[in-house]
Amino acid sequence: MALFFLTPWFLILALGLVGQEQYVVQATLSSPLNATLMIAWLLSLFWHAQLGVQVVAEDYVHGWAEWTLQILTRFLCAIGAIAGIAAVCRIYFAA
């Protein structure tokens, strides 16, 4: 449900920043509201991705490959979420 509300916000924000200078993008993401919403969007996005791959793996992959795919998916989604949050925090606290 979070992605239902956060994705339109993200699309409006991202499309509004296309072609802008770096300092404008940094200033926009330095806003507490935008930084918080971006972190919420990232967490929701990676959680949704992990659940989607998990369902596909449970349905179509079996044996050791399923187990390996489940672990790899969780690891990659966790790394992606941590990297995204670190990037937002770096922009937010640098300003």
Side-chain angles (χ1 to χ4, degrees):
M1 197 67 183
L3 281 176
F4 181 77
F5 295 106
L6 290 171
T7 299
W9 164 83
F10 174 77
L11 290 173
I12 291 167
L13 180 75
L15 292 174
L17 293 174
V18 170
Q20 295 292 330
E21 297 291 331
Q22 181 178 353
Y23 72 91
V24 175
V25 176
Q26 287 176 330
T28 302
L29 288 177
S30 293
S31 160
L33 178 63
N34 284 334
T36 303
L37 291 175
M38 183 66 75
I39 289 173
W41 182 76
L42 285 166
L43 288 172
S44 299
L45 182 73
F46 280 106
W47 183 256
H48 180 75
Q50 187 268 322
L51 290 176
V53 174
Q54 176 183 340
V55 168
V56 170
E58 289 171 352
D59 289 345
Y60 298 106
V61 182
H62 302 289
W64 66 270
E66 177 186 358
W67 184 77
T68 304
L69 183 60
Q70 295 282 7
I71 291 173
L72 185 63
T73 300
R74 287 184 185 193
F75 178 74
L76 291 176
C77 285
I79 293 296
I82 290 168
I85 291 168
V88 171
C89 289
R90 185 170 180 203
I91 291 170
Y92 179 75
F93 290 114

